[in-house]
Structure formats: structure tokens, C-alpha cells
Amino acid sequence: GIHEISAQVDVMDNATELIEENNTLESQLDVSRKPGPDLVVHDIITNPASPKAGDNLTFTAIIKNNGLDPSDNLEHKVNLEIAGHSFTGSKIGSVQPNSTEIINLTGSWTVPANGRYNIAAAVDPDNIITETNEDNNGFSKSIYAGRGANVPFITYEAEDANTNALVVGPSRALGTLAGEASGRKAVRLQNTGDYVEWIASESANAIVIRNCIPDAPGGGGITATISLWVNNEEKGKITLSSKHSWLYGDSFSDNQLSNNPSHATPGEFPSIRMIYDDANQLLDFTINPGDTVRLMKGIGDDASYYGIDLIDLEMVGPALTYDDLEDKESYVIVSGYTEQAIRDAISQVNNDSSKSNIFLPAGDYICSNKIYIWGVNEVRGAGMWHTRFFTNPDGANTDSGFGVGDSDMTFSDLSWFGNYTIRVNGPGKIWDITDQENIIIERVWVEHVVAPIWTTNTDNIIVRDSKFANTYADMVNFTNGTENGLMENLYSRGSGDDSFALFSAVDKGGNGNHHNILRNLTSICTWRAAGLAIYGGYENRAENIYIADTFVYSGITISSLDFGYNFIGFSGNTYFEDITVERCGGEFWGHQKFPGIWLFAATDDFTGIRLINIDVLDSTYSGIKFQTKSPENTPFQDTEFDGLYISGSAEYGIWADPGPEAGQGPAIGSVTVKNTTILNSTLGSVETTGCPDFTIIDGGNNNW
């Protein structure tokens, strides 16, 4: 680009001169890209895209020429390594500037076990082709085999660690350290010197601690430090807070929970909820594989106790800079860390036809309002650990975020930490998107808001490669005719309503939710509703998902309830495939017992449901429950289960609810079940007593 240069002599005016006003010279330096090709590996695609243990995996490389000139008319070779296995492929012929080529690599690799695997690849590894930059031919990424999201961090559970303190649990009791922990176990550090420690399996320079410290006596939270040790050396203290946790009230109804401890019913544990929160710290040192990482209640760590559920350790790369951007001349750099600085950048893009994007350099941005954005193609930060937004840290329950005023926009590489301490219906969404299309939100991290992402009649939206934690409502909800959307590779922990949801209302436009894909998702410790919920619509698909530890609700909700809105029920087919639901279910809505998977034929049509290769493990009550709403008496139709594995349900494996709850009648209709195994259900494998108009059709090869 063009860079301004200014030089000055005799800056302090120490020399006596004939003319004192001409000591400064200003000029410009015009820097252009060096001619020539520049080859990079743009991405590695695996087939299948969501592998699991035993799959034969093949690889496709996408290479790109980022240079100004075509590459030589020679062999463009790609090498790839994964888990000690090597693969190659090549293309002969020139690659044009700014264009991509697809190279299929020879051979296949059998995935030995579920888990994370690192891929290393390089284009032109032998430097046959002359390039302007020979140092950027390498590429790396990780893939995840198994169900759930491929995340950049390793989670270490406290109950699996070495400790001299009390391991609590297992328990399903709400409002307790074990009952609201991942895996339903935790460690309680009570006395000075109590610790919990892990052996790091990979390098890391960042830590997230899922913790519980007490509330203030009158509510509002406290702060306290905890000591971090690595290899028997104290590395400093990390500040924890309970400002955003500890809610009180009737947890079995939809009544608003409060921050006031006096609203808790003495001696009744369900009147206390959401007791955990996360603390995060980017470290100024590196934890190496094999290092011992210890959290300890040390001298000066003055919380009366510390509940430790887990830690995440992550190796965070350097902050993205302006010079790292492709087509950087199209970006306006935000100058300053205020709302006004961002608004100035938006105005600059809208007033300069050569600019189309905004770059947010690393730093902490403080906001107290919505930032409305229009006329911008991309808003990009320096990385979710580096470009961090904070909503008025001294306040509470402030509505902030991005107002999306145009279609065809991308938001990426940033985080947003809100100041909510309670659910407020309506506001509190970081991205609240209505009547737009072609929106991409990727590599973002959001906490302490009502809901990170909510769409209304939004077509072709993509939300991917992101994490969300500790909210008061849904994490991502596509509503009101959102179609052709994608939720992919998302991680949710501590959601205050359905983690990932489709709701086929039509009160604000659209023709119901349809042709959306929910893929490679993880939902942990949802404290109010389900990990995955689909309400009506058609030709939607949920696949390769892991859901664990919903506290009061089902792991999966499949429902045709309209909640009082104009709504379209199920039609066509809706697919659920390759999903694990573990330790899910609980009590809600007047002490109704919710299962691992809940199918509710309610106000509108319930048909075309397909559940394929689903594992339901260790459910708090029944594994599967069928329920019909009265007086609508909507029947189950054309619903099929193929490949269920249900184990360890505390009540029934499959239960047709006869309707003991107010407003609910006995289940009606029929479902087909085949290739299904039910083991170790306390009250029995299948129970349909009290539902004379409900039939389970044996499709064959069932074992229960």
C-alpha cells in the first residue's frame, strides 16, 4: 500500500536558522507486491468429512497461488503426513494468480480410534517451483474422529486428576458441585494447600478453568484468586469470579430466576442453579507435554472453597496482524479500542470504494451498545484469544453486540464477553440477525450473554468453528424460516436453554425452517433445556453430535409444540444420525421427568422423523420418551429408529408417557424401531402401559 513518511531536522529548534518553518519533509512510499507466484496449501479436505474409528479416510489438497504471476508449468506436488503415514499427490501445469487447484492424494488411511489427529502438509516441498515466498508452503490442521466438535483445546476432568482434596459425586442433585459438573463429579478444594493436578498431554499457553466459588451473602458474586503451579513452581494466580453464576428460585417452572439468595428455598437444592463459571488466562509461558499442571488453594486465595470441574489447555497461536491478511489493501484498520473507533472504520469503508473490510487488531474493546454494521463484507479480528470485546465490565445486563444491517457479511476471529447475570427475554444477543442472507460467523467465542446467535428468516447462514459458554438462553437458534443454514464444529458448555436449536415459527416471515444442517456439535452441561432441539420444519439434518450432562431436560428434544407462535410442524423428513446422548435428562415443568431423548407430538404435525445410529447412555430417567399433547392428540406418524443403543437408563429404555402431567394425554400413533439394543434399564426395556392407541412396530433385529 501507500505509506506516509515524515522526517524532521532540528526537532527541538536548538539551531538558529534563516527559516525555521521548513524543517519537515513529507513524502509517500508506494509498496507493491513482489512479482512472481506464491503457492500455499489453502486447505485439506477429508472424505468422509466427519470420520470415526474404522473409517477409510482419503485426502484432497486445495492449493492456491497467492502471487501476482502464474506458477511454472511444472509438477505441483503435495505431501501430507498424519499419524506417521505419508500421502502424496501432484498436478502438472501452471496455477494462475489468485486461483485454486484441487489435488487428490493417493491412498487411504484407516482411522485407528476416535480422537484428534494432526495433519501436516506442504506444497512444492522440494522447491522445484521458484516463488516469491518459499517459507509459507507448509500447512497444518487437526481433524477429529468421533462424535462432536473438533476443538483446539484438551479437556482434563478434575475427577481424573491427582488430588489431596475431596472428590465429590457422582450426583445428579441440582445446585451441587457434583450435580452441575461435567461427568457429575468434581473436586472441592477447602483448605490451604488443597490441590488438583494433571499431566499435560500437549503443549499449551492458555488455560480455562470451569470452577465454582461462593456467591456474596447478598448476591452479586465475589472474586478470588487460585494459584497455578507448573512442575512444582508457582507461576502466578488466576482470578475467578462468581458474578455470572448462582441463580435462585423455582428451577422446576419457567419463573424468572434471580440473583437474590433470599429467593432460594432453604433446604431445597433445586432452588439454586448455575453455580459454575469459566475463568480464562493467556499465559506468558508454555506448558510442555509431560508437565504437571496444578491448581491449589494457596496463601492469599481466600474463597472459602473452590469447586473445580475441569480445565481446558490450549496452544494459542500469535495474533493475526494486518500484514498477515490476504488482500490487505481492502481492509480498514480500526484505530482504537472504542465503539466510536469501530464506527469510524465502518464509515470509512462506506465512503471509500477501494475498501470493503474491517480489521480489529489485538486488544480489549469496551462496548456498551449495539454496533450497527452495513456496507462491509468482512469484520475480522486477530483471533478469539486476541481481539476481545467486553460489555461495560462494571455494569450488568447491558444489550450489546453487532447489529447486522446487510447481507453478504462475515464476522471472524474475535470473542465477546457480556455482562449479563440473569436471563432477560428479548435483548442480550451478540448477533441478532433478521431478514438477511449469506452471513458467515466463524472462529468466535462468546460468554455471559443471553444468546450469542439468533436468526430470524435468515437464509444461507453459516456458523462454524466457534465456542460458547455460560449463557442464560440458547447458544445458536435458527428461527422463522431460516433455510439452508449450517451449524458446524461448534462447542457449547453451560447453555441456559437449548444449546443448538431450530424453531419453525413463521410469525416474522419465512416458510418454516428447512434444509438446515447441524453437524459436528458438542453440548456439555446445559443447565436449563436440551443440548439439541428441533421444533418442526422439514428436510433438516443433525449429525455427528455429542451431548452430555443436561441437568433438567432431555439431551435431544424433537417437538411440534408452537409455544403460542404461528408455526409449521414437521413435514418431509428430519434426520438425526450418529449422535451420542450421555447422562442426560432431569425434572422440569412441574417436576415432569425428561428422558435422554424426548419426542413430543404437540400442537402441530409430527411426522417424517428418522433417528439413525444413536447411543443413549446412563439417562437420569428413561432413555427415550414419547409424549402427546392433550387435547390436540397429535399422533406420531412415519417415525423410525434404526440402530439405537440404549444402556443404563434409570427408569425405562423406551417409555410411552400415559400422560400424568397437566395438559398431556397418553402417547398416540406409532413408531418403527429396528436394529436396536436396550441394556440395563432399571424398570424395564420398553413400557407402553396406559397408551392403548400407541404402537411400537418391531422393524426387526431388536434386542431388548
Side-chain angles (χ1 to χ4, degrees):
I2 297 176
H3 304 270
E4 303 295 333
I5 300 174
S6 178
Q8 185 175 1
V9 67
D10 189 24
V11 178
M12 303 301 294
D13 287 331
N14 291 327
T16 301
E17 303 175 73
L18 181 64
I19 301 175
E20 297 283 2
E21 289 78 22
N22 64 352
N23 289 5
T24 300
L25 177 67
E26 295 183 349
S27 183
Q28 291 182 334
L29 177 66
D30 189 355
V31 180
S32 60
R33 296 169 64 189
K34 185 178 179 179
D38 181 20
L39 298 173
V40 298
V41 178
H42 187 67
D43 200 3
I44 298 292
I45 306 299
T46 65
N47 183 27
S50 302
K52 58 183 180 298
D55 284 348
N56 289 321
L57 203 61
T58 61
F59 305 94
T60 299
I62 301 176
I63 65 170
K64 184 178 181 182
N65 182 0
N66 282 336
L68 296 175
D69 296 314
S71 63
D72 297 333
N73 190 24
L74 300 171
E75 182 182 23
H76 294 66
K77 185 178 179 181
V78 173
N79 287 353
L80 181 146
E81 291 189 0
I82 182 170
H85 298 264
S86 299
F87 302 89
T88 62
S90 65
K91 171 196 180 298
I92 296 176
S94 178
V95 181
Q96 297 301 307
N98 294 315
S99 68
T100 59
E101 295 286 346
I102 296 175
I103 298 176
N104 294 317
L105 307 188
T106 59
S108 65
W109 174 63
T110 301
V111 182
N114 288 334
R116 189 167 66 177
Y117 298 90
N118 294 320
I119 293 175
V123 62
D124 189 31
D126 304 319
N127 291 329
I128 301 300
I129 298 169
T130 301
E131 304 174 69
T132 59
N133 186 351
E134 300 284 1
D135 298 326
N136 64 349
N137 290 5
F139 175 87
S140 64
K141 70 181 294 185
S142 66
I143 61 170
Y144 183 77
R147 296 171 177 177
N150 178 20
V151 296
F153 51 84
I154 303 293
T155 296
Y156 301 81
E157 293 281 352
E159 64 268 25
D160 298 330
N162 179 37
T163 183
N164 65 348
L166 178 66
V167 177
V168 294
S171 173
R172 307 280 170 111
L174 302 179
T176 66
L177 290 180
E180 296 201 9
S182 169
R184 308 304 178 101
K185 294 181 181 180
V187 171
R188 180 185 178 104
L189 308 181
Q190 183 86 35
N191 303 309
T192 300
D194 282 358
Y195 67 84
V196 56
E197 65 181 17
W198 304 263
I199 304 299
S201 60
E202 294 186 8
S203 298
N205 61 1
I207 186 171
V208 174
I209 306 169
R210 188 165 194 260
N211 70 93
C212 170
I213 60 174
D215 197 2
I222 64 170
T223 60
T225 59
I226 193 168
S227 299
L228 174 65
W229 292 66
V230 177
N231 295 337
N232 297 316
E233 177 185 356
E234 186 170 7
K235 305 296 285 188
K237 293 183 181 294
I238 296 175
T239 299
L240 313 180
S241 171
S242 56
K243 174 181 178 179
H244 302 283
S245 52
W246 293 97
L247 298 180
Y248 307 91
D250 181 2
S251 294
F252 295 133
S253 75
D254 199 32
N255 294 335
Q256 180 70 281
L257 301 176
S258 84
N259 301 123
N260 189 340
S262 68
H263 292 170
T265 303
E268 185 181 350
F269 63 79
S271 63
I272 301 174
R273 296 302 320 282
M274 195 190 176
I275 65 173
Y276 280 96
D277 195 12
D278 287 356
N280 63 78
Q281 183 75 51
L282 189 60
L283 307 173
D284 58 4
F285 59 90
T286 297
I287 298 168
N288 297 307
D291 284 353
T292 299
V293 180
R294 172 181 290 189
L295 294 177
M296 186 170 71
K297 178 175 165 55
I299 296 173
D301 300 332
D302 56 3
S304 59
Y305 67 85
Y306 297 79
I308 306 298
D309 180 15
L310 55 81
I311 62 170
D312 300 325
L313 294 180
E314 180 176 350
M315 192 68 199
V316 178
L320 189 73
T321 68
Y322 175 74
D323 288 333
D324 296 323
L325 300 170
E326 294 183 23
D327 191 25
K328 61 186 178 183
E329 294 84 0
S330 68
Y331 286 82
V332 171
I333 303 175
V334 175
S335 179
Y337 299 98
T338 64
E339 293 178 26
Q340 189 57 51
I342 299 171
R343 293 190 179 99
D344 290 344
I346 297 168
S347 296
Q348 188 174 345
V349 169
N350 279 276
N351 292 322
D352 185 343
S353 61
S354 70
K355 305 296 183 182
S356 55
N357 306 311
I358 290 173
F359 177 62
L360 294 153
D364 292 348
Y365 296 76
I366 307 301
C367 294
S368 298
N369 301 281
K370 288 284 188 186
I371 300 172
Y372 291 93
I373 300 181
W374 70 100
V376 176
N377 290 343
E378 182 180 33
V379 178
R380 187 172 188 182
M384 63 174 69
W385 279 90
H386 300 294
T387 295
R388 295 158 39 110
F389 283 81
F390 293 88
T391 302
N392 187 14
D394 296 326
N397 305 323
T398 304
D399 185 24
S400 63
F402 293 110
V404 181
D406 264 337
S407 296
D408 305 299
M409 294 181 66
T410 296
F411 299 83
S412 66
D413 300 294
L414 56 88
S415 57
W416 199 302
F417 298 89
N419 67 5
Y420 275 84
T421 62
I422 196 170
R423 178 169 177 154
V424 180
N425 290 326
K429 305 176 181 74
I430 299 302
W431 285 274
D432 193 352
I433 306 169
T434 301
D435 298 333
Q436 306 297 349
E437 60 183 7
N438 304 322
I439 304 296
I440 298 174
I441 302 171
E442 58 187 355
R443 300 185 301 278
V444 302
W445 173 11
V446 181
E447 295 194 33
H448 302 151
V449 300
V450 177
I453 300 171
W454 193 282
T455 75
T456 301
N457 195 29
T458 300
D459 298 342
N460 305 314
I461 181 170
I462 296 173
V463 183
R464 63 189 173 201
D465 302 330
S466 300
K467 65 178 181 179
F468 312 105
N470 308 310
T471 65
Y472 301 89
D474 307 51
M475 296 299 191
V476 184
N477 195 323
F478 290 174
T479 73
N480 277 279
T482 295
E483 60 184 75
N484 298 313
L486 174 66
M487 302 183 202
E488 184 175 48
N489 204 46
L490 304 178
Y491 181 89
S492 164
R493 187 162 69 210
S495 175
D497 212 306
D498 300 320
S499 296
F500 307 109
L502 303 178
F503 181 54
S504 193
V506 291
D507 61 303
K508 295 182 180 179
N511 186 31
N513 283 23
H514 60 89
H515 292 94
N516 297 289
I517 297 174
L518 287 67
R519 181 168 60 209
N520 297 359
L521 310 177
T522 294
S523 171
I524 304 291
C525 296
T526 299
W527 60 267
R528 184 177 182 272
L532 168 67
I534 296 183
Y535 303 90
Y538 60 95
E539 300 304 329
N540 296 302
R541 179 177 291 273
E543 58 190 21
N544 205 56
I545 297 170
Y546 178 74
I547 302 166
D549 298 306
T550 57
F551 298 154
V552 299
Y553 225 60
S554 52
I556 299 175
T557 294
I558 308 169
S559 170
S560 63
L561 182 66
D562 63 14
F563 290 93
Y565 294 92
N566 293 329
F567 176 86
I568 293 178
F570 288 107
S571 62
N573 289 327
T574 302
Y575 294 90
F576 301 80
E577 187 167 1
D578 291 322
I579 302 175
T580 296
V581 176
E582 189 168 14
R583 294 183 302 274
C584 288
E587 292 184 55
F588 199 56
W589 301 118
H591 294 272
Q592 290 187 52
K593 293 180 178 180
F594 286 91
I597 299 178
W598 178 40
L599 294 90
F600 188 26
T603 54
D604 292 79
D605 290 344
F606 195 104
T607 185
I609 307 300
R610 302 288 183 267
L611 291 100
I612 304 165
N613 296 334
I614 310 293
D615 296 338
V616 186
L617 310 175
D618 198 15
S619 297
T620 303
Y621 294 110
S622 293
I624 308 285
K625 181 169 87 165
F626 297 98
Q627 189 171 19
T628 294
K629 190 175 187 304
S630 179
E632 291 85 354
N633 295 331
T634 302
F636 290 95
Q637 301 180 60
D638 189 23
T639 295
E640 296 182 358
F641 291 76
D642 186 355
L644 274 175
Y645 179 84
I646 304 174
S647 178
S649 301
E651 292 192 345
Y652 300 103
I654 296 176
W655 180 43
D657 190 344
E661 295 87 18
Q664 313 302 328
I668 297 172
S670 65
V671 299
T672 299
V673 180
K674 59 185 178 181
N675 302 314
T676 290
T677 297
I678 304 176
L679 301 173
N680 304 318
S681 298
T682 302
L683 299 183
S685 294
V686 178
E687 179 57 68
T688 61
T689 301
C691 300
D693 297 319
F694 179 81
T695 303
I696 294 179
I697 300 171
D698 187 346
N701 199 29
N702 294 314
N703 178 25
W704 61 57

